[in-house]
Amino acid sequence: MDADAPLPAATSSGHEYDDFAWFYDRYWSRGIPLELLAALEPRLLAALPAGARVLDLCCGTGRVAAALGDRGFDVTGIDGSPEMLALARRNAPAARFVLADARAFRLDEPVQAALSLFDSLNHILVPEELEAVFRNVHAALAPGARFVFDVNDEASFRRHWQGRSFTTVEADHACIVRGIYAPETRIARCDVTLFRIQAGAWTRADVLIRERCHSGAEIAGALERAGFSEVVHLDADTDLGLSQQAGRMFFLARR
C-alpha cells in the first residue's frame, strides 16, 4: 500500500463502494452505527415530535434509517452508492432514498434534524468540500433544527487503522482488510479485497477506502462558516459513555 499516494483533488463519488455494499451491510452496518444512534437519542431525537422529518446523510445500506423509522420519524436517506441504496431500500422500505453526493445535494422540503453517523464525513478528503457538505446540510434544515455527526480523531486512526488487518472467510465469501494511517498527510486508507461466489463462480473486487483526519478546530470553523451556531463538541468515551468508541468525536450544531 502506498500511504503517500497523491491526494485526489476531490472526494470520490461513492460508486466505487458499490462492490463493498453487500459486505458492509452484512458485517459493518448493524453494530456500531446503531450503538451511536442510541447514544445520541436523548441529545437529538428525544425533543423531536412524532413524524418529524429527519435526514440521514451518507446513509449506507439504511440500517440507521430503518431504526429512525421504527421511532416514528419520516426519513430521507442520501448516499452516493447505487448498490448501498439498493440494499437500503430493502432494509428500510418506508424511508425515501436519494442518490446524491453529500457535497452537492438539495432537498425540496426542510427537515427537523439531520445526522451522519459512523465516521461518514471522514470520507470527505478535502477541507473545503467538508464545508460544502455543511452548507448543504444547513440549507436542508428548518430554522432552529440540529445537525449531529461523528468523526474519527487522530488517536482513533492510530489505534484502529495503523497497520491493522483482519480476514473473514466463509464458505461462499472471503474478505481481507488492510489499514494504514499516514500522520504527515492525515490520510488513512483501507484496502479491501473481496471474494464471493456469484453465478456459480468466484469473483474478486478490490475497494479502496480513504478517510481524512479533520481536526476539531477545522470542523468547528467550517460549521461556523457554513452558518451553524451553538456548536458542541463531545467525546464518545467521556461524554457519551461509549468506551469502546474512544477516539470518536461528535459534533452537534444548530441552524
Side-chain angles (χ1 to χ4, degrees):
M1 292 181 292
D2 180 10
D4 299 319
L7 183 67
T11 306
S12 55
S13 65
H15 289 263
E16 71 276 17
Y17 293 159
D18 285 351
D19 289 332
F20 181 61
W22 68 270
F23 184 87
Y24 174 86
D25 187 58
R26 180 163 180 167
Y27 290 102
W28 291 3
S29 68
R30 292 175 172 85
I32 294 175
L34 298 180
E35 179 185 4
L36 303 181
L37 179 65
L40 291 169
E41 186 158 5
R43 297 176 181 267
L44 178 69
L45 304 179
L48 295 176
R53 293 183 297 277
V54 178
L55 170 63
D56 182 6
L57 184 62
C58 306
C59 64
T61 59
R63 300 291 181 178
V64 168
L68 290 168
D70 290 342
R71 289 163 168 82
F73 298 117
D74 181 0
V75 185
T76 297
I78 290 177
D79 202 274
S81 165
E83 289 300 318
M84 290 278 189
L85 290 185
L87 292 170
R89 293 185 177 100
R90 184 187 311 166
N91 292 330
R96 291 182 300 276
F97 292 101
V98 179
L99 178 64
D101 190 316
R103 299 162 298 174
F105 76 90
R106 294 290 184 273
L107 296 183
D108 294 333
E109 193 173 11
V111 294
Q112 279 68 57
L115 52 78
S116 186
L117 299 183
F118 202 18
D119 49 89
S120 293
L121 297 187
N122 282 118
H123 291 258
I124 306 297
L125 303 180
V126 180
E128 292 78 9
E129 294 183 353
L130 184 64
E131 185 174 328
V133 173
F134 294 160
R135 292 184 184 280
N136 294 338
V137 175
H138 187 273
L141 289 170
R146 302 182 77 190
F147 175 38
V148 61
F149 60 93
D150 69 281
V151 293
N152 285 319
D153 68 9
E154 187 160 45
S156 180
F157 281 118
R158 289 180 181 273
R159 182 182 304 112
H160 299 297
W161 291 62
Q162 182 61 33
R164 297 291 297 272
S165 64
F166 69 86
T167 303
T168 301
V169 179
E170 298 292 344
D172 61 348
H173 67 270
C175 175
I176 303 166
V177 178
R178 296 149 292 171
I180 193 167
Y181 174 65
E184 63 276 13
T185 62
R186 301 180 68 83
I187 296 297
R189 61 178 289 161
C190 183
D191 290 271
V192 183
T193 302
L194 298 160
F195 300 92
R196 63 170 170 162
I197 295 177
Q198 293 181 290
W202 282 96
T203 62
R204 170 174 173 164
D206 294 282
V207 179
L208 171 61
I209 299 171
R210 282 191 172 188
E211 293 193 8
R212 178 182 176 87
C213 179
H214 300 281
S215 72
E218 289 173 335
I219 292 170
L223 284 167
E224 291 171 359
R225 289 191 298 273
F228 284 97
S229 62
E230 300 180 29
V231 176
V232 177
H233 176 194
L234 300 173
D235 179 85
D237 183 11
T238 59
D239 295 318
L240 296 176
L242 297 171
S243 59
Q244 297 300 312
Q245 297 302 318
R248 193 177 293 275
M249 300 186 294
F250 287 83
F251 287 84
L252 289 82
R254 190 178 299 277
R255 186 192 191 280

